[in-house]
Amino acid sequence: MPAYTATAPGKIILFGEHAVVYGRPAIAIPVPEVQARVYVSANPRSPAGNIMIKAPDIDLEAKLDDLPADHPIAFAVQVLQSEIGVRQTPACTIQINSTIPIAAGMGSGAAVSVAVMRALSAFLGHPLPDERVSALAYEVEKLYHGTPSGVDNTVIAFKTPVFYQREHPIEKLSVKLPVTLVIGDTGVSSSTAMVVGDVRRAWQTDTEGYEAIFDQVANLVLSARRIIDSGGPAELGPLMDENHQLLKKIRVSSPELDKLVLAAKQAGAIGAKLSGAGRGGNMISVVEPELALQVSNALEEAGAVRTLITRLFPDI
Ligand code: PMV
């Protein structure tokens, strides 16, 4: 049986996190500079059904059967097996490596699920279309996050910038001019489930106030979409700043995130905001290309443990 490799990129949310959980749209893009890679190879000498999982980045080397059923990797394999209806998977090793920072809002969990689904389905002779890969990875996301919007698995499975809204068909974003982004990692790990849960409780106590904020976020997302589709990055800056202020209002920022957002702006970024669940993880800034290094250096001086420059390329 031939071996198969699949990769999946990291992702970053440009606009609309949290509000997207409440039915508003969001914009997210793949970040191919970081990725999960999964290699599935046969172990012809082991009995059928024996699946070894090796994930050195998280110090995991175990038989699939020895992992708890709700372990995200075990669950991803199980979801895939029932999708394609295999009774017994031939003995194999699933090797997982990832350069995507964990618990930092860059979709590391969804990327591992997507790459596992792709490599294992190909290995089993049933390669799946992107829609199915995304839907199956969403099942695993539910295990991590409770009430995920589905944006992570969608942008990662389709590997394209998306305008995403729950229960709407996926819309690929059209990009007119290149946009340069600098991402800064606070190094503070944050649980998406916990932050989303806190927002849910606050929304329950002040539904009207939170709904009004989510409507404002939705308007920013619609404006951002028009700009990406027709104009340059300069106009995106103020929208990012406004989105950050709204995220502060729902109390998902943190001193570390605010410090990096300020440092990016002081170094010349056109706009900056936290990205993802918040309280830690990453922030993003939109910059003129010639200032990307300067902003990245400023972020490191302000305490970022990692920075990354990525670009949104126009459609060809
Ligand atoms: O996985 P993260 O940290 O990028 O956060 C996901 C974004 C949220 O909108 C907060 C949650 C969701 O499911 O969309």
Side-chain angles (χ1 to χ4, degrees):
M1 262 186 130
Y4 279 88
T5 301
T7 60
K11 73 101 217 313
I12 201 99
I13 296 180
L14 293 195
F15 294 96
E17 49 277 274
H18 287 292
V20 69
V21 176
Y22 297 81
R24 276 52 166 209
I27 293 175
I29 63 166
V31 179
E33 287 81 3
V34 286
Q35 64 173 17
R37 170 181 291 268
V38 172
Y39 175 72
V40 182
S41 56
N43 292 335
R45 293 209 194 102
S46 297
N50 260 10
I51 302 179
M52 273 302 291
I53 307 285
K54 291 187 183 172
D57 304 316
I58 53 166
D59 268 337
L60 174 70
E61 178 160 347
K63 273 191 182 169
L64 182 76
D65 291 344
D66 293 340
L67 292 176
D70 63 354
H71 186 287
I73 296 172
F75 191 64
V77 173
Q78 183 204 314
V79 164
L80 190 267
Q81 285 173 324
S82 52
E83 165 80 7
I84 58 185
V86 280
R87 267 196 227 109
Q88 201 163 48
T89 299
C92 62
T93 297
I94 302 177
Q95 166 95 27
I96 302 167
N97 294 87
S98 174
T99 54
I100 307 172
I102 295 170
M106 291 197 73
S108 70
V112 166
S113 301
V114 163
V116 165
M117 305 290 180
R118 286 230 169 89
L120 189 57
S121 62
F123 177 78
L124 295 172
H126 292 266
L128 296 173
D130 293 344
E131 288 80 359
R132 286 312 299 155
V133 169
S134 178
L136 300 179
Y138 181 63
E139 293 305 311
V140 188
E141 287 287 285
K142 285 197 231 167
L143 192 76
Y144 284 106
H145 296 329
T147 56
S149 64
V151 64
D152 281 21
N153 49 281
T154 303
V155 66
I156 289 169
F158 285 88
K159 283 191 195 153
T160 188
V162 294
F163 176 86
Y164 177 83
Q165 196 166 6
R166 268 184 123 146
E167 280 150 36
H168 284 63
I170 138 159
E171 288 185 57
K172 296 184 181 175
L173 204 63
S174 126
V175 180
K176 178 71 181 239
L177 291 171
V179 178
T180 305
L181 300 155
V182 184
I183 301 172
D185 189 343
T186 58
V188 178
S189 72
S190 158
S191 150
T192 298
M194 204 177 282
V195 185
V196 169
D198 285 351
V199 173
R200 169 81 49 192
R201 279 182 286 281
W203 172 82
Q204 277 159 350
T205 3
D206 178 17
T207 308
E208 215 177 299
Y210 271 62
E211 284 291 316
I213 293 175
F214 294 150
D215 283 340
Q216 291 179 58
V217 173
N219 284 332
L220 291 178
V221 173
L222 294 174
S223 305
R225 180 196 198 170
R226 279 194 294 273
I227 291 169
I228 292 170
D229 192 15
S230 64
E235 292 163 76
L236 282 182
L239 299 181
M240 272 197 185
D241 294 343
E242 269 183 67
N243 199 163
H244 186 67
Q245 290 310 319
L246 294 171
L247 288 162
K248 279 179 82 161
K249 277 197 185 163
I250 62 165
R251 298 197 295 272
V252 297
S253 194
S254 69
E256 293 85 355
L257 282 164
D258 290 342
K259 189 172 176 200
L260 294 189
V261 164
L262 186 67
K265 293 279 295 180
Q266 284 173 342
I270 315 164
K273 63 181 272 295
L274 71 84
S275 178
R279 303 252 170 92
N282 282 279
M283 50 70 68
I284 50 169
S285 54
V286 58
V287 300
E288 295 294 354
E290 61 278 11
L291 287 185
L293 263 181
Q294 187 173 313
V295 170
S296 154
N297 289 339
L299 286 172
E300 278 170 20
E301 271 163 37
V305 295
R306 195 182 302 102
T307 62
L308 207 151
I309 299 170
T310 189
R311 286 188 175 81
L312 195 53
F313 289 108
D315 313 326
I316 319 157

